[in-house]
Amino acid sequence: DQQVKQNSPSLSVQEGRISILNCDYTNSMFDYFLWYKKYPAEGPTFLISISSIKDKNEDGRFTVFLNKSAKHLSLHIVPSQPGDSAVYFCAANYGSGGYQKVTFGTGTKLQVIP
Amino acid sequence: DTEVTQTPKHLVMGMTNKKSLKCEQHMGHRAMYWYKQKAKKPPELMFVYSYEKLSINESVPSRFSPECPNSSLLNLHLHALQPEDSALYLCASSQLRAGGPYEQYFGPGTRLTVT
């Protein structure tokens, strides 16, 4: 039972344009959502997060939008750069007393074409 | 220092061997995690330690035995593994206080091959 899904396994975008990565979840108890980026042979690196009580969070070129009624979130990268090419994981957290019980989505491989 | 280190980077072991994976962080994080990642799959949570005590065991087989000897170190002891246990094993750490959750910092992983 995959509680966090990223339905697009891959995405190609021209440099300078917007990249939109999507994520759907099923568990309404998730209280925080996070996006991680992963390069080959490295561990995931945190990008941005959003609380379930918010609908938008912005950090530089990265913006995450949350639509709770649709159980959907998206990551927007503007403008996209070749260095953004990586696998992006959406992750959902279920509050567990300070530590995190995180479920990762299946990942979307982003390729930014120069 | 925001680095999580893992050793070894690569490990090949037979099904009768005993080996250990090591993870270290010096960020003062009191939550540490082990994940398993198979090819083209997301990381899957195995264990969570908070304040050096095991808080979550996601029904992991007993051939995987975690240990947290102090607040900076996390070990994963391996014994009698199966070929299907071959995967990338990721360690992570995070802060542990109210107002979270806080992002996890991941190590580069140990690529394990069981022959």
Side-chain angles (χ1 to χ4, degrees):
Chain A
D1 178 26
Q2 188 66 36
Q3 296 188 65
V4 181
K5 291 181 185 177
Q6 295 172 253
N7 291 318
S8 298
S10 63
L11 175 68
S12 288
V13 172
Q14 285 292 131
E15 180 178 4
R17 305 294 291 269
I18 184 171
S19 295
I20 300 176
L21 295 94
N22 294 303
C23 177
D24 297 296
Y25 63 95
T26 56
N27 189 343
S28 58
M29 299 298 290
F30 289 137
D31 58 356
Y32 252 90
F33 301 89
L34 309 98
W35 284 92
Y36 286 86
K37 177 168 77 171
K38 187 176 187 303
Y39 293 117
E42 293 184 13
T45 303
F46 170 75
L47 270 178
I48 191 169
S49 66
I50 187 167
S51 164
S52 60
I53 61 172
K54 307 271 189 187
D55 54 20
K56 179 182 174 181
N57 187 27
E58 193 172 353
D59 184 2
R61 296 187 296 115
F62 303 93
T63 303
V64 57
F65 296 91
L66 176 62
N67 182 333
K68 273 191 78 173
S69 60
K71 294 191 175 68
H72 177 82
L73 64 156
S74 61
L75 174 69
H76 293 209
I77 307 173
V78 183
S80 301
Q81 299 173 355
D84 296 330
S85 297
V87 177
Y88 288 77
F89 288 102
C90 167
N93 180 72
Y94 179 68
S96 302
Y99 55 80
Q100 297 173 35
K101 191 171 189 296
V102 168
T103 301
F104 282 86
T106 45
T108 296
K109 185 174 184 178
L110 173 66
Q111 182 184 21
V112 179
I113 303 165
Chain B
D1 181 9
T2 58
E3 191 180 19
V4 176
T5 59
Q6 288 187 246
T7 54
K9 285 194 184 341
H10 301 275
L11 178 63
V12 179
M13 61 185 290
M15 289 189 283
T16 58
N17 290 159
K18 284 186 182 180
K19 297 285 184 184
S20 296
L21 309 184
K22 180 180 171 182
C23 173
E24 193 165 4
Q25 57 89 14
H26 295 285
M27 294 177 277
H29 291 168
R30 302 305 295 275
M32 296 187 77
Y33 310 77
W34 279 115
Y35 289 86
K36 174 182 177 179
Q37 186 178 21
K38 302 280 274 185
K40 299 192 186 302
K41 297 287 188 183
E44 292 182 4
L45 184 65
M46 299 175 72
F47 302 104
V48 179
Y49 273 83
S50 60
Y51 296 114
E52 296 85 70
K53 288 187 171 28
L54 185 64
S55 299
I56 294 180
N57 176 341
E58 290 287 75
S59 303
V60 179
S62 59
R63 57 186 185 268
F64 295 91
S65 175
E67 178 197 21
C68 191
N70 60 54
S71 60
S72 300
L73 281 175
L74 185 66
N75 298 320
L76 186 62
H77 302 297
L78 315 172
H79 173 55
L81 294 193
Q82 304 296 312
E84 59 264 29
D85 296 322
S86 299
L88 180 68
Y89 288 85
L90 292 161
C91 172
S93 69
S94 71
Q95 296 184 41
L96 187 58
R97 65 172 191 259
Y102 297 98
E103 65 271 23
Q104 295 180 30
Y105 290 80
F106 283 83
T110 293
R111 175 72 60 189
L112 173 68
T113 303
V114 181
T115 60

